[in-house]
């Protein structure tokens, strides 16, 4: 079968049947000549997807949002806090720009006019100064891995999934790949109003802090699953196997910043959690969404016919 250009999928193609000449098990070298034109990020049924050699695949965050069970809670929060989501997105974009330019050495001494952004950035430089050679910062450094960069300049990594007869895959844009003490680090930056916590709050946790620590752990756990998804995709797309997954948290509540690192068996644990989420998404959530959309089409058709 000839190689097909990635495109927005219609309803039948959303079944994710394998229809490209690319292999789930072959080396990343199969992608060397792959290129995509136009927008790399796509919106399908209101959710972010990316063009890949395996068609349009849902983003890691799309799958996490659909399977974590907190999407409705986030929508309720957004209604109670008008403009909050947009403000958080703008803050995240600003801090990510500082992050990228700092690790690349473009701007090591930024002038930050916003007091809010400055408060989130405080502490990050001391953490980032400990890192070594940077291989990827929002995009591959230099001309490396050109097949990961779309026609609009957006870089992403992908994985078709582990199901043999269908593409149950995902894609995403990772923040950082670098060296640290001779090991390869896959890093992700988060901006958060509250701190992250690496453990579920125990019985010794004061009641006044329990909700905050529980929320912090849930954000931490979700981030580790996201990083595990990126680790699998990074290996599949460019052949890099990270030794350490690092989460950098920029928050006003921790002037020194926060950094969490996992490796070895902990990475494998979160990879398995991620693969469970992928199976749930494709076997339960996506079919239910397609059935709902079909029902809506039937209702719309009845209305048009005056029924």
């Amino acid at each position: 079968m000839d190689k097909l250009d990635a495109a927005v999928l219609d309803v039948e193609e959303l079944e994710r049947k394998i229809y490209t000449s690319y292999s789930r098990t072959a080396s990343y070298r199969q992608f060397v000549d792959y290129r995509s034109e136009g927008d790399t990020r796509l919106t399908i049924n209101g959710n972010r997807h990316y063009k890949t050699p395996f068609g349009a695949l849902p983003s890691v965050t799309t799958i996490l949002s659909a399977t974590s069970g907190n999407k409705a809670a986030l929508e309720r929060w957004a209604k109670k806090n008008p403009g909050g989501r947009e403000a958080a997105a703008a803050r995240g974009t600003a801090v990510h720009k500082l992050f990228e330019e700092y690790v690349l050495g473009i701007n090591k001494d930024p002038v930050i006019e916003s007091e809010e952004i400055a408060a989130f950035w405080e502490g990050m430089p001391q953490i980032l100064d400990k890192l070594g050679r940077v291989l990827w910062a929002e995009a591959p450094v230099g001309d490396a891995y050109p097949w990961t960069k779309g026609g609009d300049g957006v870089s992403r990594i992908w994985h078709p999934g582990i199901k043999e007869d269908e593409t149950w895959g995902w894609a995403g844009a990772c923040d950082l790949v670098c060296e640290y003490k001779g090991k390869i680090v896959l890093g992700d930056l988060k901006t958060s109003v509250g701190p992250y916590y690496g453990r579920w709050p125990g019985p010794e946790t004061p009641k006044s802090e329990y909700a905050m620590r529980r929320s912090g752990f849930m954000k931490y756990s979700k981030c580790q699953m996201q990083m595990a998804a990126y680790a699998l995709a990074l290996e599949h797309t460019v052949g890099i196997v990270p030794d350490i997954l690092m989460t950098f948290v920029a928050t006003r509540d921790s002037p020194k910043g926060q950094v969490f690192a996992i490796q070895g068996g902990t990475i494998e644990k979160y990879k398995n959690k991620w693969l469970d989420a992928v199976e749930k998404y494709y076997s339960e959530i996506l079919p239910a969404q397609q059935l709902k959309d079909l029902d809506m089409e039937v209702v719309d058709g009845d209305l048009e016919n005056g029924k």
Side-chain angles (χ1 to χ4, degrees):
M1 185 181 295
D2 293 335
K3 179 173 67 178
L4 301 179
D5 292 333
V8 177
L9 306 182
D10 60 24
V11 174
E12 291 184 356
E13 288 173 322
L14 279 172
E15 293 179 4
R16 298 314 195 285
K17 301 294 183 183
I18 294 177
Y19 63 93
T20 74
S21 59
Y22 296 100
S23 168
R24 177 177 56 84
T25 57
S27 161
Y28 73 92
R29 294 182 179 85
Q30 66 182 311
F31 304 125
V32 168
D33 295 325
Y34 171 75
R35 300 294 185 275
S36 67
E37 302 298 330
D39 292 339
T40 304
R41 295 187 178 104
L42 308 170
T43 299
I44 301 176
N45 294 329
N47 296 313
R48 173 167 288 180
H49 290 63
Y50 287 88
K51 286 181 181 177
T52 80
F54 298 92
L57 297 180
S59 70
V60 172
T61 52
T62 290
I63 294 177
L64 281 174
S65 295
T67 57
S68 61
N70 62 354
K71 190 172 184 178
L74 290 174
E75 292 297 333
R76 290 194 296 270
W77 178 88
K79 289 182 179 180
K80 293 180 180 178
N81 298 272
R85 180 180 293 174
E86 293 75 12
R91 181 172 61 237
T93 298
V95 176
H96 270 80
K97 181 175 177 60
L98 290 167
F99 179 89
E100 178 185 359
E101 292 185 348
Y102 194 90
V103 297
L104 290 175
I106 297 173
N107 190 354
K108 288 286 190 177
D109 189 22
V111 176
I112 306 174
E113 297 181 357
S114 167
E115 292 184 2
E116 181 188 34
I117 299 302
F120 276 88
W121 180 246
E122 183 181 3
M124 277 292 109
Q126 294 91 320
I127 293 174
L128 300 179
D129 284 342
K130 298 177 182 179
L131 303 177
R133 183 169 66 104
V134 175
L135 307 175
W136 183 302
E138 301 288 341
V141 173
D143 297 325
Y145 318 119
W147 57 91
T148 65
K149 185 174 293 187
D152 56 359
V154 173
S155 294
R156 77 291 197 206
I157 50 180
W158 56 77
H159 196 293
I162 62 174
K163 191 171 176 59
E164 293 185 1
D165 56 344
E166 293 186 58
T167 300
W168 283 12
W170 62 90
C174 61
D175 289 340
L176 179 70
V177 181
C178 67
E179 294 178 349
Y180 174 72
K181 295 184 177 181
K183 295 187 176 183
I184 297 296
V185 169
L186 173 61
D188 194 64
L189 172 67
K190 298 297 183 185
T191 55
S192 176
V193 174
Y196 278 37
Y197 290 92
R199 294 181 179 179
W200 183 266
E204 75 285 353
T205 304
K207 289 184 178 180
S208 59
E209 297 182 9
Y210 189 88
M212 177 185 67
R213 289 179 177 268
R214 180 183 61 183
S215 174
F217 174 77
M218 292 175 69
K219 289 188 290 186
Y220 164 84
S221 183
K222 184 177 179 179
C223 183
Q224 303 318 305
M225 288 177 64
Q226 180 181 3
M227 295 284 283
Y230 288 162
L232 290 165
L234 188 69
E235 180 178 2
H236 183 81
T237 309
V238 300
I240 295 177
V241 181
D243 302 298
I244 304 172
L245 306 185
M246 282 190 181
T247 306
F248 307 94
V249 183
T251 173
R252 291 174 300 187
D253 291 348
S254 182
K256 293 183 178 180
Q258 292 182 290
V259 59
F260 298 90
I262 64 172
Q263 54 188 328
T266 306
I267 293 178
E268 295 306 312
K269 179 184 75 172
Y270 279 104
K271 283 181 178 179
N272 289 330
K273 285 178 176 288
W274 166 252
L275 292 175
D276 287 343
V278 170
E279 181 175 4
K280 180 179 181 180
Y281 177 78
Y282 280 102
S283 65
E284 300 177 23
I285 294 174
L286 190 59
Q289 180 62 51
Q290 291 172 341
L291 182 60
K292 180 180 178 181
D293 292 342
L294 181 61
D295 288 343
M296 288 300 296
E297 290 178 7
V298 172
V299 170
D300 291 342
D302 288 345
L303 291 175
E304 290 178 1
N305 294 325
K307 295 182 180 179

